[in-house]
Amino acid sequence: MGKRKATRLLVAGALLAAGVTASAVGSADAANARSVATVQSCYGSAHTDYFYRRDSGGNAFYPDQGSYLTTTSACGDININPWVSYSFTVCFKATGSCNGWHYAPANQWTVIASQVLDGTKFYVQAKTTTDEPVAELAY
């Protein structure tokens, strides 16, 4: 094989390899952009909610006692962004149980229940007996 032909094959191979790499990077960038768009869409649907203290003196909760929120297709998780740091738990109507406490720092989105099906009825409790907790919820 001539020197010229060998050089062309090496250049073609390099270009092909670069093209594969570029498309792989492009796919990763596209997936990341979709992920960011999903998160923005989820948080863009957030509601600012005020928690209430139970009459029995228990933990603060949202929504009103005996009421439930319903998950939507906007988010795959239940997320909270509290104005003050608290621990939160999500309680589900279908099972009558809660998923455990999750600490959520102030002014930061935190997932407090993950991979929740659309149409799931739930309420949220804050580990405090005051009726001060205010938080954004995205679900």
Side-chain angles (χ1 to χ4, degrees):
M1 181 170 14
K3 215 176 192 184
R4 255 182 129 148
K5 189 172 183 178
T7 302
R8 276 190 254 163
L9 285 174
L10 285 173
V11 170
L15 289 173
L16 181 59
V20 170
T21 303
S23 70
V25 170
S27 296
D29 289 344
N32 189 36
R34 282 191 301 274
S35 176
V36 169
T38 301
V39 167
Q40 288 173 342
S41 169
C42 175
Y43 293 162
S45 68
H47 312 273
T48 299
D49 298 315
Y50 295 84
F51 284 66
Y52 305 92
R53 185 169 29 98
R54 291 187 188 273
D55 292 335
S56 63
N59 293 319
F61 64 97
Y62 185 82
D64 281 334
Q65 195 165 12
S67 300
Y68 294 88
L69 302 170
T70 304
T71 57
T72 65
S73 60
C75 303
D77 302 321
I78 298 172
N79 307 274
I80 197 157
N81 182 9
W83 294 4
V84 176
S85 299
Y86 288 106
S87 289
F88 296 89
T89 188
V90 178
C91 303
F92 300 96
K93 183 177 183 180
T95 62
S97 62
C98 303
N99 71 338
W101 294 99
H102 301 272
Y103 178 75
N107 304 308
Q108 178 179 319
W109 283 106
T110 302
V111 174
I112 55 175
S114 60
Q115 300 177 359
V116 182
L117 298 174
D118 295 350
T120 299
K121 298 206 176 292
F122 71 97
Y123 66 91
V124 179
Q125 287 188 54
K127 192 178 262 188
T128 178
T129 55
T130 69
D131 53 359
E132 300 172 357
V134 179
E136 289 181 282
L137 282 169
Y139 47 90

